[in-house]
Amino acid sequence: MPNQPILELKNVSSGYGSIDALKGVSLKVFPGEIVTMIGANGAGKTTTLMTICGIVPIKAGEIYYDGKPIHGCEPDTLAPKGLCQVPEGRRIFPRLKVEDNLEMGAFFRKDRQNMEKDMDHVFDLFPVLKERRKQLGGTLSGGEQQMLAIGRALMSKPRLLLLDEPSLGLAPLIVKRIFEIIHEINHREKTTILLVEQNANIALQSASRGYVLETGIIIMSDDAGALLQNPKIRKAYLGE
């Protein structure tokens, strides 16, 4: 494992108004890893990603990306640096065509020729999107919209991909395919991934390391395999 993390949170607190949703969260993600964060609804998982991206204001602590501080950075400055989020609920542009949604992921890029190659690559990963490239995003199924959201993020050429609940509301077969693609992105593209996921079983099977978040506090961290076998985790998050 490289010595320097690509992402590091140091005692980060953040929240909404007077409410602290995160209370001194510290975590590290190293290049090439898939790291997952699991926890119940309301634990602060999505808030963690939104704080990293500068959407939820940080109240205390520090956030470093690639060794440089990004707390206080405007959200729109991060994608050009290689940090991109796939938000919970997809958040595609329903009235734009599939190919236009993908182009929106590369809005800050100037290399038109490489953008076309990258779109072809997204279509290789998600053949159904190629079939539907002229359809409006809002006409796609939930699984197809999730593929589109991931594809749109890939168009930004991310070094670090933040994935928020990619399995939410999807059928098991679609979830299986989505996570196969996540692994392919990680292994073939060498893209580092921080995965927030309520489905603790598939999250821990997919990741190398994991953090457990409870009411805004990291209560446990370990290798994903060890967390998967931990009796407390199995009881609390796997229904055993």
Side-chain angles (χ1 to χ4, degrees):
M1 186 180 296
N3 290 327
Q4 179 169 300
I6 190 170
L7 176 71
E8 183 173 11
L9 277 64
K10 295 183 177 181
N11 299 311
V12 169
S13 296
S14 71
Y16 309 88
S18 61
I19 300 171
D20 285 345
L22 300 184
K23 305 160 189 172
V25 168
S26 296
L27 62 82
K28 294 180 181 181
V29 180
F30 291 90
E33 284 191 302
I34 298 178
V35 173
T36 190
M37 179 180 290
I38 63 172
N41 271 337
K45 305 186 303 296
T46 291
T47 300
T48 301
L49 298 190
M50 300 287 265
T51 303
I52 292 167
C53 291
I55 297 169
V56 174
I58 189 170
K59 295 183 176 184
E62 300 168 314
I63 304 174
Y64 292 88
Y65 169 68
D66 209 17
K68 300 179 179 64
I70 60 169
H71 44 281
C73 288
E74 292 297 321
D76 60 357
T77 65
L78 298 178
K81 300 178 190 293
L83 194 161
C84 189
Q85 181 179 2
V86 179
E88 180 182 359
R90 284 70 122 171
R91 306 279 182 91
I92 63 159
F93 299 98
R95 298 184 181 182
L96 293 183
K97 295 176 184 177
V98 165
E99 59 187 8
D100 294 333
N101 267 272
L102 293 175
E103 286 191 2
M104 288 297 289
F107 72 95
F108 62 86
R109 293 176 54 186
K110 308 297 183 186
D111 51 335
R112 171 61 57 177
Q113 185 175 356
N114 288 330
M115 283 168 55
E116 291 175 0
K117 290 179 181 178
D118 291 336
M119 188 176 294
D120 287 340
H121 175 57
V122 170
F123 288 148
D124 287 341
L125 288 173
F126 302 109
V128 68
L129 296 184
K130 185 173 185 178
E131 296 172 14
R132 312 234 192 291
R133 64 186 298 167
K134 298 298 183 182
Q135 282 186 221
L136 299 183
T139 67
L140 302 182
S141 70
E144 291 164 354
Q145 289 188 17
Q146 185 64 67
M147 294 174 188
L148 179 57
I150 294 173
R152 180 182 60 189
L154 293 179
M155 289 295 294
S156 73
K157 302 289 285 183
R159 295 178 57 220
L160 173 61
L161 191 59
L162 310 180
L163 289 174
D164 195 354
E165 302 282 9
S167 76
L168 188 66
L170 302 183
L173 280 177
I174 301 298
V175 171
K176 182 174 182 290
R177 181 58 187 149
I178 291 290
F179 273 83
E180 287 172 352
I181 293 295
I182 289 170
H183 275 284
E184 188 168 349
I185 293 167
N186 175 249
H187 291 295
R188 195 168 85 177
E189 314 295 326
K190 307 301 182 188
T191 303
T192 306
I193 295 172
L194 176 58
L195 167 69
V196 157
E197 179 57 63
Q198 196 170 350
N199 184 333
N201 190 39
I202 195 167
L204 293 172
Q205 287 180 15
S206 303
S208 53
R209 293 189 301 112
Y211 292 87
V212 183
L213 192 65
E214 193 173 283
T215 59
I217 299 168
I218 300 285
I219 61 166
M220 194 181 304
S221 65
D222 207 337
D223 290 339
L227 289 174
L228 192 58
Q229 298 304 319
N230 186 301
K232 293 181 179 178
I233 298 299
R234 299 192 73 82
K235 181 178 180 180
Y237 300 104
L238 302 180
E240 295 183 4

